[in-house]
Amino acid sequence: MIEFVGGIAAIALLILALTLTVWLYILLPAEMAERRNRSATIWVLISFVGSPLLAILLLMALGENKE
């Protein structure tokens, strides 16, 4: 019984980790880019190649695209 509960806890933790990873690498940079009138695809790729923190900081520093 304890092994079953441990397995369920491990699966729940894995799902949580995957959800946070997808949010950090894809959803957050894409949403920030769209709010600033920038290409979400490019910023998600920057997030993958560099790091999510780099993409977020760059988006914050660049600000809104006036075009």
Side-chain angles (χ1 to χ4, degrees):
M1 182 69 175
I2 293 175
E3 293 174 7
F4 179 72
V5 173
I8 290 177
I11 290 172
L13 194 59
L14 178 65
I15 291 171
L16 178 64
L18 287 173
T19 302
L20 288 174
T21 302
V22 167
W23 177 76
L24 185 63
Y25 277 86
I26 298 173
L27 299 177
L28 183 61
E31 183 180 329
M32 287 181 69
E34 287 177 356
R35 280 194 209 153
R36 290 165 173 79
N37 297 324
R38 300 187 181 275
S39 172
T41 305
I42 297 299
W43 285 97
V44 169
L45 290 175
I46 290 171
S47 175
F48 278 125
V49 172
S51 75
L53 183 60
L54 174 68
I56 291 167
L57 290 175
L58 285 173
L59 279 166
M60 290 172 68
L62 290 172
E64 187 173 333
N65 188 3
K66 302 293 184 198
E67 294 180 5

